Amino acid sequence: MIMPNRVYDILKWVAQIILPALGTLYSALAGIWGFPYGEQIVGTIVAVDAFLGALLQISTSKYKKAVEPKE
């Protein structure tokens, strides 16, 4: 099953923009203000982002196989 374009676009935006920005923000604020668990929270965000990126790559591969003409 191929995910709908709108869902793909939203998840791609989250993976490329939101999660890296959120991780950077928390890392900076944890260092400045002493927020707790900075390393653990940022590590979790990075792990979720990597997983989401892998899922999106799988979806892209399936989509390309489905729409490319077969020879």
Side-chain angles (χ1 to χ4, degrees):
M1 180 176 167
I2 299 171
M3 85 173 61
N5 287 341
R6 182 78 174 130
V7 172
Y8 177 85
D9 290 341
I10 290 169
L11 290 176
K12 186 175 176 184
W13 180 71
V14 168
Q16 290 183 332
I17 305 298
I18 298 300
L19 290 176
L22 181 61
T24 301
L25 175 65
Y26 195 86
S27 178
L29 293 178
I32 294 168
W33 295 101
F35 290 174
Y37 306 108
E39 195 172 315
Q40 292 87 344
I41 290 173
V42 173
T44 300
I45 292 169
V46 169
V48 169
D49 194 32
F51 181 73
L52 183 55
L55 291 179
L56 290 169
Q57 182 59 45
I58 291 168
S59 178
T60 298
S61 295
K62 285 184 178 182
Y63 176 79
K64 286 181 179 180
K65 285 180 184 176
V67 297
E68 288 180 355
K70 297 184 172 66
E71 296 178 24

